[in-house]
Amino acid sequence: MRRSARRLFRVLLLPCFALALVASMWITLFHHLRAEREAAHHDAVLGSQALARVLSEHVSHILRQSDHATQLFKLKFEETDGALRLAEFSQRNGLLDSVLPAKLNLPMAVVGRDGAILDSANGFHAPAASPAWFEALASGAGDAPRFSTPVVEPRSGKWMIQVARRLNDGAGRFAGAIVIMIDPLYFVDDYDRVNVDDEAALFLWAHEARLSIGRVGERLFTGERLGFRARSKGSDELVPSAPPDRIARIYSYSDMDRYALVAVVGVTERAAMEKFERHRLRYLSMALGATLAIALVTALLMHQAARLRASMRAARDAQATSRAAAEGSLDGVMFLKARRDAHGAVIDFTVTDINDKGAALFGHTRAAITGQGIAPLLPGGVEPPFLARYAQVLRESRPLEEEVELRAPGERALWIRHQIVPLPDGVAVSWRDISARKLAELEISGNRGFLQSLIEHLPLLIYVKSVRAASFGTMVVWNKAAEAATGYAADDVIGKTDCTAFAPDFALCSLDEDRAMLANPAAVDLPEKPLRRPDGELRYLHTVSVPLFDNGGAIEYILCIAEDVTRRHEQDQNLRNSEAQLTAITNASPLGLIRADLRGHCTYVNRMFETITGLTREQALGSGWKEALLPEERDSLDTIFQHQRRTTEPFKKVVRCLHPDGSLVWGSLKVAAVRIGDRIEGFVGTIDDITTLREAEMALRESEARLRTIADTLPAMVAYIDAAQVYRFHNLAYDREFSRGGAQVPGMTVRQTVGEQRYATLEPYILRALGGETLVFEEHDGVEGSERALEVTYIPQLGEDGATVVGFHVMRQDITSQKREKKRLLKLAQVDALTGLANRAGFLLKLSVAMRESADEDQLMALMYMDIDHFKPVNDTHGHHVGDALLKAFSARLTQTLRASDTVARLGGDEFTIIMEKLARPEDAQAIAAKIVSAMQAPFELGMVTVSVSASIGLAYFSGGTPDPDALLQQADMQLYQAKQAGRNTWRAAA
């Protein structure tokens, strides 16, 4: 029972441990997933709250802009004494578009002091009764707007957000109100401003009025049915009182206390928890994989434990079998166990078992050796010692098999076959006496080595093949000379038949020659044979075959001795080829060739000479070749031969030949002496037909003359520059540009002609043109004290291969007058025709440049926006001609008041702007503004009329950041509005 309990414990221990490990892993995983889910839900609440803040900022921005729209209407309404109409105010690109998006088309109305609608736009409908906000505006004197939410629009029944502001007359009394109605659907109808998916929910909730409006996907919600409450005390998450659909969402909010609204955004729980779900699936998959891995490892370990127990039983059986085999072996066999010192090093081996054969070899009984150290029993004089060999096999765990010579003084040599096999902490050793076999092998090996060395070092090819019936054609000898000549290694030839070792057409493999040797056994001198090596090289061999007989007189082998005669064969072939090639070369030469002896008599002419002169080879031999030349050319031939006897330089001359067909042939004649040492053996001459070349040269000269005539008549400067930036051609206009003779410029580089300063400007364009790019650019030249503008064109010139740029063509045209006219027209487009100041286009261009320079240089600048107070009464009273005269006089006085560096512009009507750059401090601009206000208080004498006006100024600053001209102009306009609100004839500056 105790044994069964131990066996059951060994079997169940590993599965129980694996089960406990898996259980703890799953418990930890579920705890981690719960914590991560809570964190993901909290992040989703924060995300929806951030989106709600974006929505609330968008709503607040539109409501603020609506407030600015009412403020702007109030300003213009009171300036015009109530004459401003909503159609004019809300027209396209008008005043309303400067503060509100044009696409809104908000319903708006002007309500009189009695509550009646005086003017309306965009479908505004009057309320059923006088509302409370109207009473509040009528009774109050403040300028603050009134926001009413919600307000139900009478006609459609929609919930609208209303913005209203008090309007005053010239005496400051209540004159009515401007009212703008905003549909809240505008804020939630577009998902583009809030980065949410298509299933998210956007709501505006007026919790005090218990009204809400929102969008969920493509559906809109409006009414009192939907409300929200906090999920828990202090929580930022909201829970809807009645969910809009079946999709689970996570809601959060952002308060807009000023407008009594709450922005609510709900993100889908599926999207918010998507990352957590991916993590959950990944963790579950990993845990499942780990569980399966643990189960698999447990099963494998249990299987390995079962196999280990079976192996241990098999080892005990194998030990018994090994002992029986050792006792029956003819070799000496012993088993050794290592003895170690305190440091673990092997110092000896103990004999744990040995068979009787092994004990007899040591001269002891088995009982006497077993249990003893092996070191005293081992023979000495062996390097390395046997004990060291046993330790090495044990250390490297690699068997060793060797034949060892044991030689004692005065005794014959003893050879043993020694085997060592590693065991756990020991070795197994077997040995056998092989002295008789080893001595016989050494004697045979010595005789064979002498013969083999002799054969290997002979410079001739030596090979032996068997002609025995059992091994016919088998190669038995193949020396190094045979390897070098044929390309076949001895290892690939010896032991194989010649038919299998060599290619079928191999020259040394001839079955017919072998049979002839068997039929007539005698030495045979074979003719030269071509032999193709495996690498394709061709060799030639001269072979002698000799029969070798056995003791019975029958042919046993064939000895073949071959000489490599490839070099001699190649020399003979090369000599024949050289003679044929020389003949072919002379006949294929494009030059006429002639050989002459010392007397000048012709001994050889080629076919081209016959073609050029019209003489046959037979006609040209001797002195007949001279008949090809004109009579006046023949007299100089003796001079040619005399010249070659005095110098080694070839003689060259252009001669004329008269062809038998009557045509004149121009030829280039060259003659050189054939010298062997200091002795002249004859002469060699060539004649080249240059008739076509001379005709082409004449045609080329005529073509170049025509091209230069055309180029010189062009009004543009034309030139050609090669890849080395050297002028190769230029026309007369270029010659006048350089102010030097035409013969001096070609051959000069661009750098030499234009100088270092201009070359530094032109070099990038030149390199791009040489890179293959066609360029058109402007070049400015200040020669003779005036600025010139030139339009320059670079056109690359490709070479014969169609890819390499070999140079480029240049065309330069003077466009100075066109540039001046363009500048004049551009300046006229930016000047106000009445005052001569910059107009709106010129002002906007100058403002953009000034703001960019201010940002780059980190300097302060200011923008003044001003208009003339009470300008309209002047126009209405005295007429437009007086108004125009006032604008001119006002502009002149304004210009005199400012610095020379300031820019003044008239935007239109009585509106002016001033750009002041590079200010040291803001007070400098304020001082100038005060100076302008003071200067404009003096009366203006306009012919027969004296006019008194004043100026109101709005001042804004810019000193860095991103330049935004529209924002700076709007800021100055708001300050102008503040100055007018302060009673006009003053200035106001932004912070």
Side-chain angles (χ1 to χ4, degrees):
M1 185 179 296
R2 184 177 301 173
R3 183 181 301 173
S4 300
R6 286 198 301 268
R7 185 180 302 170
L8 182 62
F9 176 76
R10 288 197 300 269
V11 171
L12 296 180
L13 177 61
L14 187 59
C16 291
F17 174 75
L19 184 60
L21 180 62
V22 170
S24 62
M25 179 186 67
W26 281 98
I27 292 172
T28 303
L29 175 63
F30 286 132
H31 177 73
H32 177 74
L33 288 176
R34 183 175 61 186
E36 186 167 344
R37 180 180 180 85
E38 293 175 355
H41 187 85
H42 178 68
D43 291 342
V45 173
L46 295 180
S48 62
Q49 187 176 37
L51 295 173
R53 282 196 293 270
V54 172
L55 178 59
S56 67
E57 290 173 1
H58 171 56
V59 174
S60 299
H61 174 73
I62 295 299
L63 294 177
R64 284 195 302 271
Q65 293 299 95
S66 302
D67 177 21
H68 292 163
T70 61
Q71 187 178 22
L72 182 59
F73 183 85
K74 173 182 174 66
L75 171 65
K76 297 300 181 180
F77 181 85
E78 294 174 357
E79 283 182 358
T80 59
D81 293 331
L84 180 63
R85 291 294 176 262
L86 289 177
E88 178 185 357
F89 179 68
S90 61
Q91 67 181 356
R92 184 174 180 83
N93 298 323
L95 296 173
L96 183 61
D97 285 355
S98 64
V99 294
L100 278 175
K103 67 178 183 178
L104 287 182
N105 293 327
L106 300 179
M108 60 184 68
V110 177
V111 182
R113 60 170 53 88
D114 58 353
I117 295 178
L118 302 179
D119 190 10
S120 65
N122 300 328
F124 184 89
H125 288 270
S130 179
W133 59 266
F134 184 79
E135 300 295 337
L137 289 177
S139 60
D143 191 39
R146 291 283 180 171
F147 289 91
S148 299
T149 179
V151 175
V152 178
E153 204 270 340
R155 180 178 59 86
S156 62
K158 290 183 179 180
W159 169 30
M160 306 291 281
I161 298 175
Q162 178 181 277
V163 184
R165 184 181 293 272
R166 173 189 175 105
L167 300 177
N168 295 330
D169 57 14
R173 297 186 300 273
F174 177 68
I178 172 67
V179 184
I180 296 178
M181 307 293 284
I182 304 174
D183 188 350
L185 284 176
Y186 169 74
F187 304 121
V188 298
D189 190 41
D190 188 2
Y191 276 10
D192 293 341
R193 298 188 179 274
V194 183
N195 187 17
V196 295
D197 56 27
D198 293 340
E199 295 182 347
L202 306 179
F203 289 98
L204 281 180
W205 179 38
H207 54 85
E208 295 180 358
R210 300 184 178 274
L211 289 175
S212 61
I213 186 167
R215 175 173 180 151
V216 178
E218 298 299 327
R219 299 171 57 196
L220 297 175
F221 289 85
T222 305
E224 303 178 3
R225 182 174 59 88
L226 184 62
F228 297 91
R229 59 178 177 81
R231 178 174 291 274
S232 60
K233 185 176 181 180
S235 174
D236 291 329
E237 183 179 2
L238 296 181
V239 179
S241 58
D245 52 22
R246 296 180 179 276
I247 298 176
R249 293 181 180 86
I250 299 174
Y251 294 88
S252 190
Y253 67 96
S254 176
D255 280 324
M256 292 178 283
D257 295 333
R258 180 181 180 186
Y259 310 111
L261 293 174
V262 178
V264 180
V265 175
V267 296
T268 59
E269 187 173 341
R270 174 184 54 77
M273 305 298 288
E274 183 179 5
K275 182 177 179 181
F276 165 75
E277 290 297 330
R278 289 199 304 269
H279 287 184
R280 186 175 68 86
L281 290 177
R282 186 182 304 131
Y283 293 152
L284 292 176
S285 300
M286 292 171 60
L288 183 59
T291 301
L292 294 177
I294 292 173
L296 180 60
V297 170
T298 303
L300 289 176
L301 290 177
M302 293 179 67
H303 179 67
Q304 289 297 107
R307 290 184 61 184
L308 179 60
R309 290 192 294 270
S311 298
M312 293 176 63
R313 290 194 298 270
R316 289 193 295 268
D317 296 341
Q319 186 176 8
T321 304
S322 175
R323 176 179 295 278
E327 291 297 335
S329 174
L330 297 177
D331 296 340
V333 179
M334 65 178 173
F335 299 92
L336 306 178
K337 183 175 180 60
R339 288 184 183 178
R340 303 180 183 273
D341 59 11
H343 302 288
V346 176
I347 57 176
D348 197 0
F349 286 88
T350 300
V351 180
T352 59
D353 197 3
I354 189 170
N355 65 353
D356 293 334
K357 184 72 174 179
L361 290 176
F362 284 117
H364 296 281
T365 63
R366 175 180 174 185
I369 294 176
T370 303
Q372 302 298 320
I374 193 63
L377 303 176
L378 295 174
V382 180
E383 289 297 332
F386 284 104
L387 189 62
R389 299 184 190 198
Y390 299 160
Q392 177 184 355
V393 170
L394 176 61
R395 182 174 61 254
E396 297 179 356
S397 296
R398 185 167 58 188
L400 175 65
E401 181 177 353
E402 58 185 349
E403 294 179 354
V404 182
E405 180 184 9
L406 303 177
R407 185 182 297 274
E411 297 182 2
R412 69 179 182 86
L414 176 65
W415 288 85
I416 64 170
R417 179 176 174 274
H418 193 224
Q419 289 182 304
I420 311 171
V421 179
L423 298 174
D425 202 26
V427 293
V429 183
S430 65
W431 63 92
R432 178 184 297 179
D433 188 349
I434 57 170
S435 300
R437 176 178 65 80
K438 194 66 177 179
L439 292 174
E441 289 177 355
L442 290 175
E443 183 177 358
I444 295 172
S445 176
N447 296 334
R448 184 178 296 170
F450 171 75
L451 179 60
Q452 184 68 29
S453 177
L454 178 64
I455 293 173
E456 292 291 343
H457 291 86
L458 285 176
L460 301 175
L461 284 76
I462 297 177
Y463 59 96
V464 178
K465 66 172 71 175
S466 172
V467 290
R468 294 177 179 176
S471 58
F472 187 86
T474 301
M475 307 298 294
V476 295
V477 175
W478 189 263
N479 72 343
K480 293 186 179 298
E483 290 183 340
T486 65
Y488 287 91
D491 294 339
D492 298 331
V493 173
I494 296 176
K496 300 179 181 179
T497 63
D498 50 4
C499 295
T500 57
F502 306 121
D505 57 348
F506 194 64
L508 301 183
C509 178
S510 176
L511 185 60
D512 294 337
E513 292 178 358
D514 295 343
R515 289 173 178 171
M517 178 66 72
L518 290 174
N520 186 16
V524 179
D525 189 354
L526 300 174
E528 293 182 3
K529 296 181 180 180
L531 180 144
R532 183 72 63 181
R533 288 165 49 94
D535 58 5
E537 183 182 354
L538 186 65
R539 296 289 184 94
Y540 290 87
L541 301 179
H542 176 219
T543 309
V544 176
S545 297
V546 179
L548 300 179
F549 302 94
D550 60 7
N551 295 331
I555 297 180
E556 187 177 16
Y557 300 99
I558 297 177
L559 169 64
C560 297
I561 303 173
E563 179 185 6
D564 189 348
V565 295
T566 305
R567 182 61 59 85
R568 185 181 65 198
H569 189 277
E570 289 177 352
Q571 291 173 350
D572 294 342
Q573 185 64 34
N574 290 338
L575 180 59
R576 291 191 293 271
N577 292 342
S578 297
E579 293 177 351
Q581 289 173 2
L582 180 59
T583 302
I585 290 171
T586 56
N587 287 332
S589 173
L591 302 176
L593 301 179
I594 179 173
R595 288 201 300 267
D597 57 18
L598 290 174
R599 295 177 298 171
H601 289 170
C602 174
T603 60
Y604 170 80
V605 295
N606 68 346
R607 292 179 182 175
M608 183 55 68
F609 183 89
E610 296 177 347
T611 303
I612 294 174
T613 63
L615 300 177
T616 64
R617 183 172 300 179
E618 290 74 15
Q619 293 173 338
L621 294 177
S623 59
W625 69 278
K626 300 178 182 179
E627 299 299 325
L629 305 178
L630 292 179
E632 55 268 28
E633 302 288 354
R634 300 172 193 166
D635 298 338
S636 64
L637 295 179
D638 293 336
T639 305
I640 294 175
F641 295 125
Q642 293 298 328
H643 174 272
Q644 287 302 299
R645 290 186 175 93
R646 294 192 304 268
T647 179
T648 59
E649 292 294 326
F651 185 89
K652 304 176 183 178
K653 184 180 181 183
V654 176
V655 297
R656 293 168 293 169
C657 301
L658 183 62
H659 201 274
D661 62 4
S663 61
L664 183 65
V665 178
W666 289 84
S668 175
L669 179 66
K670 296 181 182 179
V671 179
V674 178
R675 299 178 184 271
I676 301 178
D678 295 331
R679 187 175 71 256
I680 297 177
E681 296 294 333
F683 300 93
V684 176
T686 64
I687 184 169
D688 186 11
D689 187 353
I690 61 172
T691 304
T692 304
L693 178 61
R694 289 183 65 86
E695 293 175 352
E697 288 178 352
M698 296 299 296
L700 180 61
R701 292 193 186 100
E702 294 177 0
S703 176
E704 288 180 349
R706 288 193 297 270
L707 177 62
R708 176 164 291 280
T709 300
I710 295 172
D712 287 342
T713 58
L714 291 175
M717 290 175 277
V718 181
Y720 174 72
I721 302 173
D722 64 14
Q725 302 185 24
V726 176
Y727 283 94
R728 295 303 178 190
F729 170 81
H730 72 280
N731 67 346
L732 186 60
Y734 240 110
D735 187 42
R736 290 193 294 267
E737 173 74 9
F738 288 129
S739 301
R740 56 169 66 93
Q744 297 178 357
V745 175
M748 296 178 65
T749 65
V750 178
R751 189 192 300 269
Q752 292 171 338
T753 58
V754 303
E756 292 293 338
Q757 183 175 0
R758 283 186 61 193
Y759 179 75
T761 303
L762 296 177
E763 184 180 19
Y765 300 103
I766 294 175
L767 296 179
R768 289 170 61 186
L770 292 176
E773 183 179 354
T774 299
L775 303 174
V776 178
F777 62 94
E778 289 187 7
E779 180 183 355
H780 296 275
D781 187 7
V783 298
E784 300 179 358
S786 62
E787 181 71 21
R788 288 193 310 162
L790 300 170
E791 183 181 76
V792 184
T793 304
Y794 285 174
I795 305 174
Q797 176 66 49
L798 301 181
E800 295 181 356
D801 59 359
T804 304
V805 178
V806 298
F808 61 95
H809 301 277
V810 182
M811 292 188 64
R812 303 172 78 230
Q813 288 183 305
D814 192 336
I815 58 171
T816 305
S817 59
Q818 296 93 315
K819 296 286 289 184
R820 289 173 180 169
E821 181 64 16
K822 184 177 179 181
K823 288 182 179 179
R824 186 183 70 81
L825 294 176
L826 180 61
K827 184 176 181 181
L828 289 176
Q830 297 177 356
V831 174
D832 179 57
L834 178 63
T835 62
L837 302 177
N839 61 8
R840 179 180 291 272
F843 161 71
L844 293 176
L845 178 62
K846 175 61 179 177
L847 180 60
S848 298
V849 174
M851 293 184 71
R852 186 164 55 253
E853 291 178 352
S854 175
D856 294 341
E857 300 174 5
D858 195 18
Q859 291 187 342
L860 178 67
M861 65 165 289
L863 174 66
M864 288 187 186
Y865 197 147
M866 71 169 61
D867 66 4
I868 303 175
D869 297 331
H870 310 297
F871 176 74
K872 188 175 183 300
V874 174
N875 258 344
D876 295 342
T877 303
H878 302 288
H880 289 287
H881 65 285
V882 175
D884 291 345
L886 174 60
L887 290 174
K888 292 180 182 179
F890 186 90
S891 302
R893 188 180 297 179
L894 179 62
T895 304
Q896 295 171 0
T897 309
L898 298 173
R899 305 177 303 173
S901 60
D902 297 336
T903 301
V904 186
R906 177 183 174 227
L907 299 188
D910 62 335
E911 294 182 341
F912 294 84
T913 56
I914 302 170
I915 302 173
M916 292 176 287
E917 301 180 69
K918 299 181 180 179
L919 296 173
R921 53 181 185 170
E923 289 77 5
D924 295 343
Q926 296 172 9
I928 294 175
K931 182 179 178 183
I932 294 172
V933 171
S934 176
M936 297 307 170
Q937 292 172 355
F940 287 89
E941 299 293 338
L942 306 176
M944 302 299 292
V945 178
T946 301
V947 175
S948 294
V949 294
S950 60
S952 297
I953 301 175
L955 180 60
Y957 299 99
F958 177 77
S959 61
T962 302
D964 189 350
D966 292 338
L968 185 62
L969 185 61
Q970 185 176 0
Q971 188 179 9
D973 188 19
M974 294 300 295
Q975 295 303 316
L976 174 60
Y977 169 74
Q978 296 294 336
K980 286 186 172 295
Q981 287 292 96
R984 297 183 174 85
N985 193 25
T986 186
W987 57 272
R988 288 291 183 269

